[in-house]
Amino acid sequence: MEALDIGRDLLIVLVSSIAGGMLARLLRLPVILGYIAAGITVVPFGLGTVGLFGGTGFVHQAETITSLAEIGVILLLFAIGLEFSIRELLNMGKIAVLGGILQVSFTAAAGYGLGLLLGLDVTGAIFFGFIVSLSSTMVVLKLLMERGELDTIHGRIMLGILLVQDLAVVPIMVTMQAVAGSEGSLWVALGLA
């Protein structure tokens, strides 16, 4: 019986994503926006929780669908990796690395300042700054592929900046662990991290 539930949920996800993609295309929006809207509509913790669809959503096996979605992301990354040229990225390395570092730094600082203005404590503001400094690599790659701009100069530079952002997650995680576990001075913990 559980296999039928998973099959039904998968069918609901596929049909809703096709409908969302077609609607986005009709409205001349990026298809990925239609996919996101479809996902928000069908999951139990999306629009279903506000009572629009009886309070339960359409999909009941959210963990299984999440696992399948992760497999889909892995396959998409693999397909992008097949078209990816390390040599071209290395040619734009200085621009991508410098641009990525500057983007993460300035956006994190702006997010930190905004967090303080919103009344967050210092640790919360640091976390908020780091969160807003990162972009979704998958969303940007899908948009570049959809528009046929992945092989352009600006597409390669954006890909390099996204890779720097992805690599920046490691020091960000180390910094956040040090900040969250700091008993003493926050700035000493940041310096040690």
Side-chain angles (χ1 to χ4, degrees):
M1 190 66 165
E2 187 174 319
L4 290 176
D5 289 341
I6 294 170
R8 184 200 67 221
D9 287 349
L10 188 57
L11 183 63
I12 289 170
V13 168
L14 291 174
V15 168
S16 64
S17 63
I18 289 171
M22 290 173 59
L23 181 62
R25 181 73 71 183
L26 282 172
L27 296 173
R28 298 178 191 250
L29 296 170
V31 175
I32 198 160
L33 291 178
Y35 296 157
I36 292 171
I40 291 171
T41 303
V42 300
V43 295
F45 39 87
L47 289 179
T49 58
V50 295
L52 294 179
F53 302 109
T56 61
F58 292 112
V59 174
H60 301 289
Q61 300 285 334
E63 299 83 22
T64 305
I65 299 298
T66 300
S67 298
L68 291 172
E70 289 173 1
I71 292 170
V73 168
I74 291 168
L75 291 175
L76 182 60
L77 285 172
F78 180 75
I80 290 169
L82 291 175
E83 299 176 15
F84 184 70
S85 170
I86 297 279
R87 189 176 328 142
E88 287 181 33
L89 185 63
L90 290 176
N91 288 339
M92 292 184 219
K94 291 178 183 176
I95 296 171
V97 170
L98 183 62
I101 290 171
L102 289 174
Q103 184 273 320
V104 169
S105 300
F106 287 136
T107 310
Y112 171 76
L114 181 61
L116 290 177
L117 287 175
L118 292 173
L120 297 174
D121 63 345
V122 175
T123 304
I126 290 171
F127 182 72
F128 182 73
F130 282 148
I131 292 297
V132 297
S133 70
L134 302 175
S135 303
S136 174
T137 302
M138 289 310 309
V139 171
V140 175
L141 284 175
K142 181 70 176 152
L143 288 172
L144 286 173
M145 288 175 64
E146 184 178 306
R147 297 173 74 180
E149 296 177 354
L150 191 59
D151 290 326
T152 62
I153 291 176
H154 68 274
R156 292 291 178 188
I157 291 172
M158 286 170 42
L159 181 62
I161 290 173
L162 288 168
L163 289 174
V164 170
Q165 282 183 356
D166 291 343
L167 293 174
V169 169
V170 175
I172 286 172
M173 289 176 61
V174 170
T175 302
M176 286 312 303
Q177 285 179 346
V179 168
S182 66
E183 298 284 326
S185 171
L186 175 70
W187 300 110
V188 172
L190 280 173
L192 290 174

